[in-house]
Amino acid sequence: MYQAVRGTSDILPEEQAYWRCVEQGAIAACQLYGYQRIDSPTFEETGLFTRSVGQGTDIVEKEMYTFADKGGKKITLRPEGTASVCRAYLEHGLHNLPQPVKLYYLASIFRYERPQSGRLREHHQFGCEAIGDDDPTLDAEVIDMAWQFFRSLNLQNLSLQLNSIGCKKCRQDYLTILKYYYNGYAAEDLCRDCRDRLSRNPLRLLDCKQPSCQRIAKAAPKSFDHLCPDCDVHFNQLKAYLNMLEIPFTVNHRLVRGLDYYTRTVFEIQPAGGGAQSTLGGGGRYDDLIEELGGKPTPAIGFAVGTERIILNLKKQNISISTLPRPRVFIAYMGDEARDESIRLASRLRQAGISTIATAGSKSLKAQMRQANSLGVRYAVIVGDEEIKTGTATLRDMVNAQQKTVPIIDLPGMLK
Ligand code: HAM
């Protein structure tokens, strides 16, 4: 028997209420903040992601689902959503619209990671991108939106971690200082990954999960102490706006994010006491990405959250969510003529806008009523060969188990 591929999962009907809750919460937040939906293809040319996410990142080096299509083109299943939105922004001339352009997406994302709770090879993100302005009020608004979205789901005990990693210019100076600091340690003080990061992607030294490396990272020079004057003002203004909006945050100099396109603001939202796989969402500025992809210099900021991780936390915190609507009527029948009548009746009820399930195949009345019960319908209509001679059927209220004989012709009106 086939099974779902490792790291992927089916979303069964019993899980759908959670998904609907998160997706509707996302859509409601986007409407509130004036974001418009964009859907991009599931796969793109590989170069788009290597260029955007960055050559030295885990995503590009180890995690992308890349293949040559039948025409020999190198294709990658999207490992994140921002690069595709930026490509679409350029391809469709969205820079001609009033800026910033505010877009959101709900999309499946593919990363070849080691599967575990909260870490899948196919996961789903709700993401937002505000492209075309570098005003720190926009950073504050994007963070506010993420924060309000989580509040609307009633999730408790979340923390907002914030950092500024500076712009292209001041980051270079900071990286020199950071490397100088790490060069003060012997190679064996660092884990193998960190020895590698020191030469290839020194910023990532700061978020190593190894306890011995964490101690070193904790005392490392902080990017926000080495910002150029413009980045410093930007970061201070952002913090002032967040205070004004009463959004609590912790400045965390070790927050650097796993994608290379970030500049200045970076942030993550984490649940209390969560481990490495717990971050619910993250984002930041990517002021150079559009230019990197061939456009004019265009500052931008965005974030994405992981639906599966949010659902894990909704369950962990026992947050009750609305159930999905169930079918209202079940039609059971006994006899050949009654079967034809049940098909006609089901069609009339549906045309009247009443969601109806009609029995398929031949089952005993008992089995049919069991099915009606398990579907959670409010009413069952029982049609029998004898009754239809008089144009009637039995209408049973499944909640109080009362039933009565009614004219079939009246059923659409009565059930409505
Ligand atoms: P990211 O931090 O890589 O950012 O992913 C966003 C969120 O997706 C994470 O915080 C996490 O909740 C979820 N996530 C990531 N990987 C997995 C996985 N393997 N299994 C389950 N959930 C996962 C981005 O992708 C950026 N594009 C966000 C962004 C938008 N930055 C600016 N704009």
Side-chain angles (χ1 to χ4, degrees):
M1 283 235 280
Y2 292 111
Q3 293 195 328
V5 172
R6 194 164 124 79
T8 68
S9 51
D10 300 306
I11 306 162
L12 296 174
E14 70 218 38
E15 287 290 301
Q16 292 291 341
Y18 283 100
W19 284 77
R20 189 74 65 85
C21 164
V22 175
E23 287 170 3
Q24 284 180 348
I27 292 168
C30 290
Q31 277 167 355
L32 216 51
Y33 286 76
Y35 281 67
Q36 290 185 299
R37 180 150 180 165
I38 182 166
D39 290 292
S40 61
T42 307
F43 50 84
E44 301 266 2
E45 280 185 48
T46 301
L48 174 67
F49 298 118
T50 46
R51 191 88 193 246
S52 309
V53 178
Q55 283 288 0
T57 59
D58 283 354
I59 293 180
V60 167
E61 285 197 341
K62 306 180 197 156
E63 297 171 2
M64 294 207 305
Y65 280 88
T66 296
F67 56 95
D69 70 10
K70 299 232 185 287
K73 202 181 244 324
K74 229 172 149 197
I75 296 293
T76 295
L77 301 185
R78 67 177 159 231
E80 63 106 40
T82 309
S84 299
V85 172
C86 291
R87 192 238 343 111
Y89 174 91
L90 288 170
E91 186 172 337
H92 302 289
L94 302 189
H95 52 275
N96 294 318
L97 299 174
Q99 307 291 298
V101 173
K102 297 179 173 180
L103 302 166
Y104 79 94
Y105 48 89
L106 292 158
S108 49
I109 304 289
F110 305 87
R111 295 181 187 175
Y112 192 80
E113 296 194 81
R114 203 160 44 78
Q116 61 188 75
S117 171
R119 188 162 70 185
L120 292 136
R121 289 183 175 167
E122 181 188 20
H123 72 277
H124 296 77
Q125 288 187 2
F126 151 48
C128 288
E129 315 293 348
I131 306 176
D133 208 307
D134 67 357
D135 192 321
T137 56
L138 195 58
D139 303 45
E141 188 191 87
V142 162
I143 293 173
D144 178 46
M145 178 174 169
W147 195 246
Q148 296 307 333
F149 162 70
F150 283 115
R151 279 178 57 152
S152 76
L153 296 176
N154 292 320
L155 281 166
Q156 308 294 318
N157 300 324
L158 301 184
S159 83
L160 169 65
Q161 307 283 312
L162 184 70
N163 193 12
S164 174
I165 54 172
C167 63
K168 244 189 324 220
K169 280 183 279 139
C170 58
R171 175 115 43 89
Q172 280 318 316
D173 296 340
Y174 169 64
L175 290 180
T176 307
I177 295 165
L178 189 67
K179 280 199 265 190
Y180 183 78
Y181 166 80
Y182 270 91
N183 281 328
Y185 285 89
E188 52 280 15
D189 292 336
L190 300 175
C191 72
R192 221 178 56 199
D193 283 346
C194 278
R195 288 202 287 271
D196 190 42
R197 286 175 186 134
L198 187 52
S199 56
R200 281 153 45 87
N201 198 347
L203 212 52
R204 295 305 305 277
L205 286 159
L206 295 170
D207 73 351
C208 179
K209 304 290 178 289
Q210 297 289 336
S212 55
C213 295
Q214 286 196 354
R215 267 195 304 277
I216 298 173
K218 218 168 159 189
K222 302 170 173 61
S223 55
F224 55 74
D225 287 335
H226 300 275
L227 298 175
C228 63
D230 283 353
C231 289
D232 195 39
V233 168
H234 192 276
F235 192 41
N236 284 329
Q237 285 182 337
L238 168 60
K239 288 184 288 185
Y241 288 128
L242 291 178
N243 284 328
M244 197 175 85
L245 294 171
E246 296 181 19
I247 299 173
F249 61 88
T250 306
V251 174
N252 174 357
H253 79 278
R254 296 183 48 209
L255 178 70
V256 292
R257 311 270 301 131
L259 302 98
D260 276 357
Y261 50 60
Y262 290 112
T263 50
R264 293 188 164 175
T265 309
V266 287
F267 65 97
E268 277 186 0
I269 292 168
Q270 291 164 359
Q277 263 53 257
S278 64
T279 300
L280 294 176
R285 278 210 158 268
Y286 47 95
D287 290 344
D288 302 326
L289 181 55
I290 298 264
E291 191 180 3
E292 185 72 27
L293 295 177
K296 293 202 190 92
T298 310
I301 177 161
F303 73 90
V305 303
T307 305
E308 286 85 353
R309 290 189 190 175
I310 293 174
I311 292 175
L312 276 175
N313 279 273
L314 288 173
K315 290 181 180 173
K316 221 192 236 166
Q317 297 191 12
N318 284 323
I319 293 171
S320 66
I321 51 159
S322 336
T323 51
L324 295 180
R326 290 173 174 266
R328 195 152 170 79
V329 177
F330 183 91
I331 306 179
Y333 72 86
M334 287 175 304
D336 289 341
E337 282 177 48
R339 181 181 49 212
D340 291 356
E341 185 55 40
S342 78
I343 294 166
R344 269 195 297 272
L345 176 61
S347 168
R348 286 217 315 277
L349 292 179
R350 288 168 188 147
Q351 280 174 40
I354 300 161
S355 68
T356 303
I357 303 243
T359 300
S362 51
K363 294 184 190 115
S364 69
L365 184 60
K366 206 168 154 197
Q368 293 183 67
M369 294 314 285
R370 244 199 330 266
Q371 190 180 357
N373 241 328
S374 82
L375 286 166
V377 294
R378 178 64 206 268
Y379 297 104
V381 176
I382 303 154
V383 190
D385 277 354
E386 281 309 306
E387 285 171 294
I388 55 174
K389 284 185 192 143
T390 57
T392 58
T394 304
L395 176 64
R396 182 180 173 85
D397 185 323
M398 300 297 282
V399 175
N400 60 22
Q402 291 193 348
Q403 56 184 53
K404 57 184 174 185
T405 304
V406 295
I408 292 179
I409 194 114
D410 292 347
L411 274 168
M414 285 174 78
L415 289 167
K416 214 161 163 89

